[in-house]
Amino acid sequence: MSEDLREMLTDAAVREGDVVTGEVTAVDDHGVTVALPHGYEGHISPQELSALPGTHPSDVVSVGSTVTAQVLKVDMESGHVTLSKRRAEQASAWERMQQLLESGEPIEVEIRDVVKGGLVADVGVRAFIPASLVDRHFVENLEQFKGQTLRAKVIEVDPQKNKLILSRRAVLEEESEARAQKLFEALKPGDVIEGTVQRLTDFGAFVDVGGADGLVHISELSFTHVNHPSEVVHEGDRVKVRVLRVDPEAGRISLSIKAALPEPWETYANEFRPGDVVQGVVRRVVNFGAFVELRPGLEGLVHVSQISNEHVDKPSDVLQPGQEVTVRVLSVDPERKRISLSMRDSAQPRGGQGQGQGQGRGGRRDRRPTESRNDGASGPTLGDLFGDLFK
């Protein structure tokens, strides 16, 4: 080594333990070459580039970029300077992570690797995001996050054990709470909005209405009786709902799907007139009669006195929910939304199937029962002989 170089190395500010900055001049499988001040040349091996083992130099730096590293060794004979980018970053990285832990401020990290149980990032030290903290819901395929930049919060810092734990779920939950707060302030009872069905339970369906989940109780799913929400909606369905109640303190939103639909009276009531004979299904049996569904959500009442030509003490002795019957319309009251029905005379129940000339639900309605006649026969008909029985 020349005397000039030896003098430079002896008197210069490049000493072991120093942190220096230089420009990357070469990158290959063996590491990175860095041009340092005063004409020195430093080298960073792959092991000293990143906190993540097995990282290729080209994934960390590129020619022309600036890098900060710690001086590990100065060879006085060759003038070669051994550097470590990893060690230069570690001390300040742990300090910064501790500050982020205390402040709760999120950090952006690039996912460098996917390992069993979570994601790995390099923030100057190795950072780990457990699979349970990647999202608000279970994520089956973590590979989709490799190479992505995610926002996460620092939740555990332990330099002694080289342990740094991050949580993306904490950021997502905080963002969700902020959206929910705005939503609670904006929603009002009576609003009709669209949402996505998130999950089903035995008592209803939870619908995401843009930042918060509202509950559609099973009784608010349809105008017809529903045994389970899956009979009406499925997860992922887009539905229109009406807001019934908003409780910001409890964080609850009550919704209704049926209230966002046209009422059955608006859709079907004009189909029926006094004297019509139609088929329906018994939905409820009470002490004073039975409610018969004529169309989805549209029911009429058969009073106990109109169930049979014979005296009936209890409607449940004659009728059961789910039984199909033939009924005659007695009156239609649109203002009070009431339809009075009768099963007497030509509208008698028969083994769960209605008699009369109705052609089933949604079928043709006949004004009166017809009489059978053999057109090729002469003499009195059955109607002539037994006509009084039809009255």
PDB file of all heavy atoms in Angstrom, residues 285-290 302-310 312 314-316 318-319 341-345 347-349:
ATOM      1  N   VAL A 285    -103.434 -19.423  13.666  1.00  0.00           N
ATOM      2  CA  VAL A 285    -104.733 -19.783  14.217  1.00  0.00           C
ATOM      3  C   VAL A 285    -104.832 -19.155  15.607  1.00  0.00           C
ATOM      4  O   VAL A 285    -103.987 -19.394  16.466  1.00  0.00           O
ATOM      5  CB  VAL A 285    -104.915 -21.310  14.298  1.00  0.00           C
ATOM      6  CG1 VAL A 285    -106.279 -21.650  14.902  1.00  0.00           C
ATOM      7  CG2 VAL A 285    -104.776 -21.941  12.908  1.00  0.00           C
ATOM      8  N   VAL A 286    -105.853 -18.321  15.821  1.00  0.00           N
ATOM      9  CA  VAL A 286    -106.060 -17.641  17.098  1.00  0.00           C
ATOM     10  C   VAL A 286    -107.441 -18.013  17.634  1.00  0.00           C
ATOM     11  O   VAL A 286    -108.220 -18.718  16.974  1.00  0.00           O
ATOM     12  CB  VAL A 286    -105.928 -16.111  16.920  1.00  0.00           C
ATOM     13  CG1 VAL A 286    -104.499 -15.746  16.554  1.00  0.00           C
ATOM     14  CG2 VAL A 286    -106.883 -15.606  15.839  1.00  0.00           C
ATOM     15  N   ASN A 287    -107.757 -17.518  18.812  1.00  0.00           N
ATOM     16  CA  ASN A 287    -109.034 -17.887  19.441  1.00  0.00           C
ATOM     17  C   ASN A 287    -110.247 -17.422  18.659  1.00  0.00           C
ATOM     18  O   ASN A 287    -111.294 -18.077  18.669  1.00  0.00           O
ATOM     19  CB  ASN A 287    -109.107 -17.322  20.866  1.00  0.00           C
ATOM     20  CG  ASN A 287    -108.110 -17.997  21.799  1.00  0.00           C
ATOM     21  OD1 ASN A 287    -107.745 -19.153  21.571  1.00  0.00           O
ATOM     22  ND2 ASN A 287    -107.673 -17.291  22.827  1.00  0.00           N
ATOM     23  N   PHE A 288    -110.100 -16.284  17.958  1.00  0.00           N
ATOM     24  CA  PHE A 288    -111.254 -15.723  17.257  1.00  0.00           C
ATOM     25  C   PHE A 288    -111.288 -16.067  15.774  1.00  0.00           C
ATOM     26  O   PHE A 288    -112.168 -15.607  15.046  1.00  0.00           O
ATOM     27  CB  PHE A 288    -111.301 -14.196  17.429  1.00  0.00           C
ATOM     28  CG  PHE A 288    -110.032 -13.502  17.008  1.00  0.00           C
ATOM     29  CD1 PHE A 288    -109.828 -13.139  15.683  1.00  0.00           C
ATOM     30  CD2 PHE A 288    -109.050 -13.220  17.932  1.00  0.00           C
ATOM     31  CE1 PHE A 288    -108.664 -12.497  15.300  1.00  0.00           C
ATOM     32  CE2 PHE A 288    -107.887 -12.576  17.555  1.00  0.00           C
ATOM     33  CZ  PHE A 288    -107.686 -12.207  16.228  1.00  0.00           C
ATOM     34  N   GLY A 289    -110.342 -16.875  15.296  1.00  0.00           N
ATOM     35  CA  GLY A 289    -110.373 -17.251  13.889  1.00  0.00           C
ATOM     36  C   GLY A 289    -109.016 -17.682  13.370  1.00  0.00           C
ATOM     37  O   GLY A 289    -108.161 -18.145  14.134  1.00  0.00           O
ATOM     38  N   ALA A 290    -108.815 -17.528  12.080  1.00  0.00           N
ATOM     39  CA  ALA A 290    -107.556 -17.930  11.443  1.00  0.00           C
ATOM     40  C   ALA A 290    -107.179 -16.920  10.375  1.00  0.00           C
ATOM     41  O   ALA A 290    -108.049 -16.402   9.653  1.00  0.00           O
ATOM     42  CB  ALA A 290    -107.679 -19.323  10.835  1.00  0.00           C
ATOM     43  N   VAL A 302    -110.397 -15.250   8.592  1.00  0.00           N
ATOM     44  CA  VAL A 302    -111.607 -16.077   8.621  1.00  0.00           C
ATOM     45  C   VAL A 302    -112.065 -16.101  10.074  1.00  0.00           C
ATOM     46  O   VAL A 302    -111.426 -16.737  10.927  1.00  0.00           O
ATOM     47  CB  VAL A 302    -111.328 -17.512   8.126  1.00  0.00           C
ATOM     48  CG1 VAL A 302    -112.616 -18.328   8.170  1.00  0.00           C
ATOM     49  CG2 VAL A 302    -110.750 -17.503   6.720  1.00  0.00           C
ATOM     50  N   HIS A 303    -113.124 -15.378  10.355  1.00  0.00           N
ATOM     51  CA  HIS A 303    -113.623 -15.350  11.732  1.00  0.00           C
ATOM     52  C   HIS A 303    -114.134 -16.736  12.103  1.00  0.00           C
ATOM     53  O   HIS A 303    -114.549 -17.519  11.254  1.00  0.00           O
ATOM     54  CB  HIS A 303    -114.747 -14.312  11.874  1.00  0.00           C
ATOM     55  CG  HIS A 303    -115.138 -14.051  13.292  1.00  0.00           C
ATOM     56  ND1 HIS A 303    -116.169 -14.737  13.900  1.00  0.00           N
ATOM     57  CD2 HIS A 303    -114.636 -13.210  14.214  1.00  0.00           C
ATOM     58  CE1 HIS A 303    -116.283 -14.312  15.151  1.00  0.00           C
ATOM     59  NE2 HIS A 303    -115.358 -13.370  15.359  1.00  0.00           N
ATOM     60  N   VAL A 304    -114.103 -17.050  13.416  1.00  0.00           N
ATOM     61  CA  VAL A 304    -114.514 -18.369  13.870  1.00  0.00           C
ATOM     62  C   VAL A 304    -115.931 -18.703  13.402  1.00  0.00           C
ATOM     63  O   VAL A 304    -116.252 -19.871  13.119  1.00  0.00           O
ATOM     64  CB  VAL A 304    -114.406 -18.464  15.411  1.00  0.00           C
ATOM     65  CG1 VAL A 304    -115.334 -17.465  16.098  1.00  0.00           C
ATOM     66  CG2 VAL A 304    -114.683 -19.888  15.887  1.00  0.00           C
ATOM     67  N   SER A 305    -116.771 -17.690  13.265  1.00  0.00           N
ATOM     68  CA  SER A 305    -118.150 -17.925  12.833  1.00  0.00           C
ATOM     69  C   SER A 305    -118.244 -18.249  11.343  1.00  0.00           C
ATOM     70  O   SER A 305    -119.285 -18.695  10.863  1.00  0.00           O
ATOM     71  CB  SER A 305    -119.017 -16.699  13.131  1.00  0.00           C
ATOM     72  OG  SER A 305    -118.543 -15.570  12.408  1.00  0.00           O
ATOM     73  N   GLN A 306    -117.126 -18.027  10.605  1.00  0.00           N
ATOM     74  CA  GLN A 306    -117.123 -18.255   9.161  1.00  0.00           C
ATOM     75  C   GLN A 306    -116.284 -19.467   8.761  1.00  0.00           C
ATOM     76  O   GLN A 306    -116.032 -19.676   7.577  1.00  0.00           O
ATOM     77  CB  GLN A 306    -116.582 -17.010   8.440  1.00  0.00           C
ATOM     78  CG  GLN A 306    -117.449 -15.780   8.577  1.00  0.00           C
ATOM     79  CD  GLN A 306    -118.790 -15.950   7.880  1.00  0.00           C
ATOM     80  OE1 GLN A 306    -118.873 -16.627   6.848  1.00  0.00           O
ATOM     81  NE2 GLN A 306    -119.837 -15.344   8.438  1.00  0.00           N
ATOM     82  N   ILE A 307    -115.859 -20.257   9.733  1.00  0.00           N
ATOM     83  CA  ILE A 307    -115.021 -21.411   9.412  1.00  0.00           C
ATOM     84  C   ILE A 307    -115.834 -22.570   8.862  1.00  0.00           C
ATOM     85  O   ILE A 307    -115.399 -23.280   7.961  1.00  0.00           O
ATOM     86  CB  ILE A 307    -114.233 -21.845  10.665  1.00  0.00           C
ATOM     87  CG1 ILE A 307    -113.172 -20.785  11.001  1.00  0.00           C
ATOM     88  CG2 ILE A 307    -113.576 -23.206  10.456  1.00  0.00           C
ATOM     89  CD1 ILE A 307    -112.354 -21.102  12.238  1.00  0.00           C
ATOM     90  N   SER A 308    -117.010 -22.777   9.398  1.00  0.00           N
ATOM     91  CA  SER A 308    -117.804 -23.929   8.986  1.00  0.00           C
ATOM     92  C   SER A 308    -119.284 -23.616   9.122  1.00  0.00           C
ATOM     93  O   SER A 308    -119.683 -22.696   9.858  1.00  0.00           O
ATOM     94  CB  SER A 308    -117.435 -25.147   9.840  1.00  0.00           C
ATOM     95  OG  SER A 308    -118.293 -26.243   9.563  1.00  0.00           O
ATOM     96  N   ASN A 309    -120.118 -24.385   8.385  1.00  0.00           N
ATOM     97  CA  ASN A 309    -121.568 -24.256   8.536  1.00  0.00           C
ATOM     98  C   ASN A 309    -122.000 -24.756   9.909  1.00  0.00           C
ATOM     99  O   ASN A 309    -123.058 -24.375  10.411  1.00  0.00           O
ATOM    100  CB  ASN A 309    -122.292 -25.052   7.448  1.00  0.00           C
ATOM    101  CG  ASN A 309    -122.121 -24.394   6.079  1.00  0.00           C
ATOM    102  OD1 ASN A 309    -122.007 -23.177   5.984  1.00  0.00           O
ATOM    103  ND2 ASN A 309    -122.079 -25.213   5.038  1.00  0.00           N
ATOM    104  N   GLU A 310    -121.176 -25.603  10.494  1.00  0.00           N
ATOM    105  CA  GLU A 310    -121.468 -26.115  11.819  1.00  0.00           C
ATOM    106  C   GLU A 310    -120.764 -25.246  12.867  1.00  0.00           C
ATOM    107  O   GLU A 310    -119.794 -24.554  12.565  1.00  0.00           O
ATOM    108  CB  GLU A 310    -121.000 -27.565  11.947  1.00  0.00           C
ATOM    109  CG  GLU A 310    -121.687 -28.503  10.960  1.00  0.00           C
ATOM    110  CD  GLU A 310    -121.162 -29.931  11.076  1.00  0.00           C
ATOM    111  OE1 GLU A 310    -120.257 -30.142  11.921  1.00  0.00           O
ATOM    112  OE2 GLU A 310    -121.643 -30.790  10.336  1.00  0.00           O
ATOM    113  N   VAL A 312    -118.297 -24.010  15.604  1.00  0.00           N
ATOM    114  CA  VAL A 312    -116.897 -24.303  15.905  1.00  0.00           C
ATOM    115  C   VAL A 312    -116.539 -23.606  17.213  1.00  0.00           C
ATOM    116  O   VAL A 312    -116.642 -22.382  17.330  1.00  0.00           O
ATOM    117  CB  VAL A 312    -115.964 -23.824  14.775  1.00  0.00           C
ATOM    118  CG1 VAL A 312    -114.507 -24.037  15.176  1.00  0.00           C
ATOM    119  CG2 VAL A 312    -116.280 -24.548  13.480  1.00  0.00           C
ATOM    120  N   LYS A 314    -113.393 -24.011  18.868  1.00  0.00           N
ATOM    121  CA  LYS A 314    -112.016 -23.564  18.775  1.00  0.00           C
ATOM    122  C   LYS A 314    -111.536 -23.714  17.329  1.00  0.00           C
ATOM    123  O   LYS A 314    -111.612 -24.805  16.757  1.00  0.00           O
ATOM    124  CB  LYS A 314    -111.121 -24.403  19.695  1.00  0.00           C
ATOM    125  CG  LYS A 314    -111.405 -24.216  21.175  1.00  0.00           C
ATOM    126  CD  LYS A 314    -110.590 -25.213  22.007  1.00  0.00           C
ATOM    127  CE  LYS A 314    -109.112 -25.023  21.773  1.00  0.00           C
ATOM    128  NZ  LYS A 314    -108.306 -25.963  22.602  1.00  0.00           N
ATOM    129  N   PRO A 315    -111.051 -22.620  16.712  1.00  0.00           N
ATOM    130  CA  PRO A 315    -110.541 -22.712  15.331  1.00  0.00           C
ATOM    131  C   PRO A 315    -109.479 -23.789  15.166  1.00  0.00           C
ATOM    132  O   PRO A 315    -109.387 -24.421  14.107  1.00  0.00           O
ATOM    133  CB  PRO A 315    -109.963 -21.319  15.086  1.00  0.00           C
ATOM    134  CG  PRO A 315    -110.760 -20.436  15.976  1.00  0.00           C
ATOM    135  CD  PRO A 315    -111.014 -21.236  17.211  1.00  0.00           C
ATOM    136  N   SER A 316    -108.688 -24.025  16.222  1.00  0.00           N
ATOM    137  CA  SER A 316    -107.615 -25.020  16.121  1.00  0.00           C
ATOM    138  C   SER A 316    -108.150 -26.444  16.021  1.00  0.00           C
ATOM    139  O   SER A 316    -107.394 -27.358  15.667  1.00  0.00           O
ATOM    140  CB  SER A 316    -106.671 -24.905  17.326  1.00  0.00           C
ATOM    141  OG  SER A 316    -107.386 -25.077  18.532  1.00  0.00           O
ATOM    142  N   VAL A 318    -110.272 -27.257  13.841  1.00  0.00           N
ATOM    143  CA  VAL A 318    -110.566 -27.436  12.418  1.00  0.00           C
ATOM    144  C   VAL A 318    -109.360 -27.114  11.542  1.00  0.00           C
ATOM    145  O   VAL A 318    -109.107 -27.794  10.542  1.00  0.00           O
ATOM    146  CB  VAL A 318    -111.761 -26.548  12.007  1.00  0.00           C
ATOM    147  CG1 VAL A 318    -112.103 -26.745  10.524  1.00  0.00           C
ATOM    148  CG2 VAL A 318    -112.977 -26.848  12.873  1.00  0.00           C
ATOM    149  N   LEU A 319    -108.605 -26.085  11.934  1.00  0.00           N
ATOM    150  CA  LEU A 319    -107.529 -25.595  11.072  1.00  0.00           C
ATOM    151  C   LEU A 319    -106.170 -25.663  11.765  1.00  0.00           C
ATOM    152  O   LEU A 319    -106.079 -25.539  12.984  1.00  0.00           O
ATOM    153  CB  LEU A 319    -107.819 -24.143  10.661  1.00  0.00           C
ATOM    154  CG  LEU A 319    -109.109 -23.914   9.879  1.00  0.00           C
ATOM    155  CD1 LEU A 319    -109.342 -22.416   9.694  1.00  0.00           C
ATOM    156  CD2 LEU A 319    -109.055 -24.616   8.531  1.00  0.00           C
ATOM    157  N   LEU A 341    -112.830 -13.071   5.219  1.00  0.00           N
ATOM    158  CA  LEU A 341    -112.977 -14.282   4.433  1.00  0.00           C
ATOM    159  C   LEU A 341    -113.978 -15.224   5.088  1.00  0.00           C
ATOM    160  O   LEU A 341    -114.297 -15.109   6.271  1.00  0.00           O
ATOM    161  CB  LEU A 341    -111.634 -14.999   4.295  1.00  0.00           C
ATOM    162  CG  LEU A 341    -110.456 -14.179   3.740  1.00  0.00           C
ATOM    163  CD1 LEU A 341    -109.162 -14.973   3.867  1.00  0.00           C
ATOM    164  CD2 LEU A 341    -110.715 -13.784   2.293  1.00  0.00           C
ATOM    165  N   SER A 342    -114.460 -16.175   4.289  1.00  0.00           N
ATOM    166  CA  SER A 342    -115.373 -17.189   4.801  1.00  0.00           C
ATOM    167  C   SER A 342    -115.050 -18.537   4.176  1.00  0.00           C
ATOM    168  O   SER A 342    -114.686 -18.614   2.989  1.00  0.00           O
ATOM    169  CB  SER A 342    -116.824 -16.823   4.475  1.00  0.00           C
ATOM    170  OG  SER A 342    -117.694 -17.870   4.871  1.00  0.00           O
ATOM    171  N   MET A 343    -115.176 -19.577   4.989  1.00  0.00           N
ATOM    172  CA  MET A 343    -115.017 -20.937   4.500  1.00  0.00           C
ATOM    173  C   MET A 343    -116.352 -21.679   4.505  1.00  0.00           C
ATOM    174  O   MET A 343    -116.400 -22.882   4.263  1.00  0.00           O
ATOM    175  CB  MET A 343    -114.004 -21.694   5.371  1.00  0.00           C
ATOM    176  CG  MET A 343    -112.587 -21.138   5.261  1.00  0.00           C
ATOM    177  SD  MET A 343    -111.453 -21.887   6.457  1.00  0.00           S
ATOM    178  CE  MET A 343    -111.658 -23.608   6.062  1.00  0.00           C
ATOM    179  N   ARG A 344    -117.398 -20.984   4.773  1.00  0.00           N
ATOM    180  CA  ARG A 344    -118.716 -21.611   4.789  1.00  0.00           C
ATOM    181  C   ARG A 344    -119.229 -21.805   3.368  1.00  0.00           C
ATOM    182  O   ARG A 344    -118.676 -21.296   2.406  1.00  0.00           O
ATOM    183  CB  ARG A 344    -119.694 -20.759   5.592  1.00  0.00           C
ATOM    184  CG  ARG A 344    -119.300 -20.617   7.060  1.00  0.00           C
ATOM    185  CD  ARG A 344    -120.238 -19.710   7.802  1.00  0.00           C
ATOM    186  NE  ARG A 344    -121.614 -20.218   7.760  1.00  0.00           N
ATOM    187  CZ  ARG A 344    -122.649 -19.614   8.343  1.00  0.00           C
ATOM    188  NH1 ARG A 344    -122.453 -18.490   9.006  1.00  0.00           N
ATOM    189  NH2 ARG A 344    -123.867 -20.133   8.265  1.00  0.00           N
ATOM    190  N   ASP A 345    -120.339 -22.534   3.263  1.00  0.00           N
ATOM    191  CA  ASP A 345    -120.982 -22.808   1.967  1.00  0.00           C
ATOM    192  C   ASP A 345    -120.027 -23.553   1.041  1.00  0.00           C
ATOM    193  O   ASP A 345    -119.577 -24.634   1.340  1.00  0.00           O
ATOM    194  CB  ASP A 345    -121.489 -21.516   1.326  1.00  0.00           C
ATOM    195  CG  ASP A 345    -122.515 -20.830   2.207  1.00  0.00           C
ATOM    196  OD1 ASP A 345    -123.241 -21.541   2.928  1.00  0.00           O
ATOM    197  OD2 ASP A 345    -122.564 -19.596   2.202  1.00  0.00           O
ATOM    198  N   ALA A 347    -116.934 -23.012   0.322  1.00  0.00           N
ATOM    199  CA  ALA A 347    -115.512 -22.933   0.632  1.00  0.00           C
ATOM    200  C   ALA A 347    -115.216 -23.701   1.905  1.00  0.00           C
ATOM    201  O   ALA A 347    -114.960 -23.154   2.960  1.00  0.00           O
ATOM    202  CB  ALA A 347    -115.085 -21.472   0.793  1.00  0.00           C
ATOM    203  N   GLN A 348    -115.328 -25.015   1.828  1.00  0.00           N
ATOM    204  CA  GLN A 348    -115.117 -25.879   2.985  1.00  0.00           C
ATOM    205  C   GLN A 348    -113.728 -26.503   2.922  1.00  0.00           C
ATOM    206  O   GLN A 348    -113.258 -26.882   1.848  1.00  0.00           O
ATOM    207  CB  GLN A 348    -116.172 -27.005   3.005  1.00  0.00           C
ATOM    208  CG  GLN A 348    -117.586 -26.503   3.216  1.00  0.00           C
ATOM    209  CD  GLN A 348    -117.803 -26.018   4.645  1.00  0.00           C
ATOM    210  OE1 GLN A 348    -117.083 -26.428   5.532  1.00  0.00           O
ATOM    211  NE2 GLN A 348    -118.769 -25.154   4.842  1.00  0.00           N
ATOM    212  N   PRO A 349    -113.043 -26.652   4.089  1.00  0.00           N
ATOM    213  CA  PRO A 349    -111.739 -27.340   4.092  1.00  0.00           C
ATOM    214  C   PRO A 349    -111.914 -28.826   3.873  1.00  0.00           C
ATOM    215  O   PRO A 349    -112.920 -29.390   4.282  1.00  0.00           O
ATOM    216  CB  PRO A 349    -111.194 -27.046   5.504  1.00  0.00           C
ATOM    217  CG  PRO A 349    -112.427 -26.876   6.338  1.00  0.00           C
ATOM    218  CD  PRO A 349    -113.440 -26.222   5.447  1.00  0.00           C
TER     219      PRO A 349
END
